[in-house]
Amino acid sequence: MKTTQSKDGTTLAYDVYGNGPALIYITGASCHRSFKPIVQDAKIFASEFTVYNYDRRGRGDSGNTLPYTVEREIEDLEAIIDAAGGKAHLYGHSSGAVIALEAALRLGNKVQKVTLYDAPYVCDEKEKAEYKQLSQKIHELLENEKNSEAMLTFLKEIGMPKVFVLLLPLFPGWKTTKALAPTLAYDIMLTQDMPPLVRATQISIPMQIIVGEKSPVSINKVGRQLTKAIPNARFIRLAKQDHLVSGKKLLPILSTFLKE
């Protein structure tokens, strides 16, 4: 484990794998850098990249200076980019894709190329209203320190398989996952609005937008909305993949785009 500090003094923990161009792995909701699927993907990507796998604030071994803002998340990412040498490619998964897109807008030439997978903005006003109800429910549970219920409710409502959600508390890593519940409020803040399509037209960094063929219809719609808005963005609908994408299936697409 290595550490660096964000602009506000928050300690950020990260691991480094492999050799090659620097690639920052930005994880989504309910994830941390030591989560087994995240580590597996990071090591797969490390066959062709130097992968920086970090704990977003409030997760794992990173700090959690309050109050939370999207700007602080971008400053955290900038600190990891600086630790990687000052320039890097970005791979953002789920809510991590939102951070990656914001970084493309805010961090200038520190960001080389960006790949987004399943950016989970709400796709229309109807979904925004439904998500607001979920947000209120999650915040109420967190305020009452019902972290376990908050995590399970969130995962169920965003479409995780019911059987998986029911069995999750029986898994060895449940205690760690449950401890991440307060950060759900952060991910909700990142994803509660429709994609910033007008601002996205200003992106000049090469962007690749990937959605899983089996991912929710709303995520597919958002992917196409972003592709249309971002100049020269590349769109890929990855066959037979859902939100929990296979790192092995993703690597050839990442490599082709980031190294060309």
Side-chain angles (χ1 to χ4, degrees):
M1 183 183 80
K2 298 184 178 183
T3 62
T4 189
Q5 281 198 329
S6 191
K7 186 177 180 179
D8 68 354
T10 301
T11 296
L12 303 171
Y14 67 98
D15 297 319
V16 183
Y17 303 93
N19 293 289
L23 175 64
I24 314 296
Y25 186 177
I26 313 170
T27 58
S30 75
C31 293
H32 57 97
R33 83 180 202 288
S34 300
F35 186 37
K36 187 175 180 180
I38 300 299
V39 174
Q40 289 175 339
D41 285 349
K43 290 183 176 180
I44 289 169
F45 301 156
S47 64
E48 298 198 32
F49 299 95
T50 301
V51 179
Y52 289 76
N53 177 27
Y54 75 105
D55 281 327
R56 289 169 52 192
R57 62 174 53 212
R59 306 163 195 242
D61 295 304
S62 288
N64 192 29
T65 307
L66 299 175
Y68 174 85
T69 66
V70 176
E71 288 75 18
R72 301 295 82 75
E73 283 262 29
I74 304 304
E75 290 169 359
D76 295 349
L77 177 56
E78 185 175 16
I80 299 296
I81 293 173
D82 288 342
K87 290 185 177 182
H89 300 303
L90 306 180
Y91 166 60
H93 177 265
S94 194
S95 63
V98 177
I99 297 171
L101 188 145
E102 288 296 327
L105 284 164
R106 303 179 192 217
L107 296 184
N109 61 10
K110 287 191 173 186
V111 177
Q112 295 173 299
K113 293 184 180 181
V114 177
T115 294
L116 312 181
Y117 187 88
D118 273 8
Y121 297 96
V122 296
C123 70
D124 54 33
E125 291 294 343
K126 180 177 181 293
E127 189 176 45
K128 183 174 181 177
E130 293 170 350
Y131 199 56
K132 184 176 181 179
Q133 291 180 339
L134 173 61
S135 173
Q136 291 170 341
K137 187 185 300 183
I138 297 300
H139 279 88
E140 183 178 338
L141 290 169
L142 293 175
E143 287 170 6
N144 288 290
E145 299 184 352
K146 296 181 178 180
N147 285 10
S148 180
E149 190 176 347
M151 181 62 73
L152 294 173
T153 299
F154 179 82
L155 294 175
K156 182 176 67 175
E157 292 295 330
I158 65 170
M160 294 294 285
K162 291 182 180 179
V163 173
F164 172 80
V165 175
L166 286 172
L167 294 176
L168 192 58
L170 303 178
F171 292 174
W174 172 242
K175 183 177 179 181
T176 301
T177 301
K178 182 175 68 173
L180 298 175
T183 64
L184 293 175
Y186 305 168
D187 292 294
I188 288 171
M189 185 181 294
L190 288 168
T191 59
Q192 65 189 349
D193 293 315
M194 288 178 281
L197 301 180
V198 174
R199 293 173 60 230
T201 63
Q202 302 168 15
I203 293 175
S204 58
I205 294 165
M207 299 279 290
Q208 176 172 242
I209 298 166
I210 308 175
V211 298
E213 180 184 40
K214 297 183 178 180
S215 295
V217 172
S218 62
I219 280 179
N220 275 260
K221 287 182 179 178
V222 165
R224 293 191 182 277
Q225 289 170 354
L226 286 170
T227 304
K228 186 176 180 180
I230 298 170
N232 303 311
R234 180 179 304 182
F235 179 80
I236 295 176
R237 194 163 182 251
L238 195 53
K240 300 180 181 179
Q241 296 300 302
D242 56 21
H243 196 58
L244 303 178
V245 63
S246 162
K248 290 182 180 180
K249 296 289 185 182
L250 195 58
L251 178 60
I253 299 171
L254 275 176
S255 182
T256 298
F257 173 65
L258 298 180
K259 291 186 175 183
E260 66 183 9

